Amino acid sequence: QVQLVESGGGLVQAGGSLRLSCAASGIIFNIYTMGWYRQAPGKQRELVADITSGGGTNYADSVKGRFTISRDSAKNTVFLQMNSLKPEDTAVYYCNAHTAFYARNYWGQGTQVTVSS
């Protein structure tokens, strides 16, 4: 059974930092691209950042220079370090694991991030 379990969300003031974690189980972690997406009320889910099995990273323009994605293969965990948070970063953040080669795509349950002004 595949599980992606997020943690680290919460309430923070503007300018603050949070670190999200996503622990994966039931998948061969090293072959998956891992990503973080977010969905604010009334908006579509959007990519925040992702990291390939080889360590290549991709970021949304809105978070470049403020967020950093990383992965720890020994712990089957992906992280999202979020600095200089803004109220517009408020959303539910979802962990994603996907591999196009095997046509697999999995989601976590989401964790709420709220940034107060």
Side-chain angles (χ1 to χ4, degrees):
Q1 182 181 0
V2 177
Q3 283 192 310
L4 301 177
V5 180
E6 300 108 332
S7 61
L11 173 64
V12 64
Q13 288 189 331
S17 298
L18 284 174
R19 188 191 195 206
L20 304 183
S21 300
C22 171
S25 60
I27 61 172
I28 303 173
F29 185 78
N30 287 345
I31 69 171
Y32 279 77
T33 292
M34 301 299 297
W36 288 96
Y37 290 71
R38 66 187 181 188
Q39 187 167 19
K43 295 188 177 181
Q44 290 189 329
R45 190 173 297 189
E46 63 176 0
L47 174 69
V48 176
D50 62 20
I51 182 167
T52 68
S53 57
T57 58
N58 178 47
Y59 293 92
D61 287 343
S62 60
V63 307
K64 283 180 180 177
R66 300 188 297 123
F67 291 10
T68 303
I69 190 170
S70 61
R71 63 192 293 161
D72 184 337
S73 295
K75 297 181 179 179
N76 284 8
T77 300
V78 62
F79 303 97
L80 184 69
Q81 178 66 45
M82 305 186 293
N83 298 329
S84 302
L85 282 160
K86 304 176 181 180
E88 51 262 45
D89 295 318
T90 295
V92 177
Y93 284 70
Y94 295 91
C95 179
N96 174 267
H98 69 270
T99 168
F101 185 83
Y102 294 103
R104 294 288 186 267
N105 189 45
Y106 302 105
W107 292 95
Q109 80 285 355
T111 186
Q112 177 70 47
V113 171
T114 303
V115 184
S116 63
S117 58

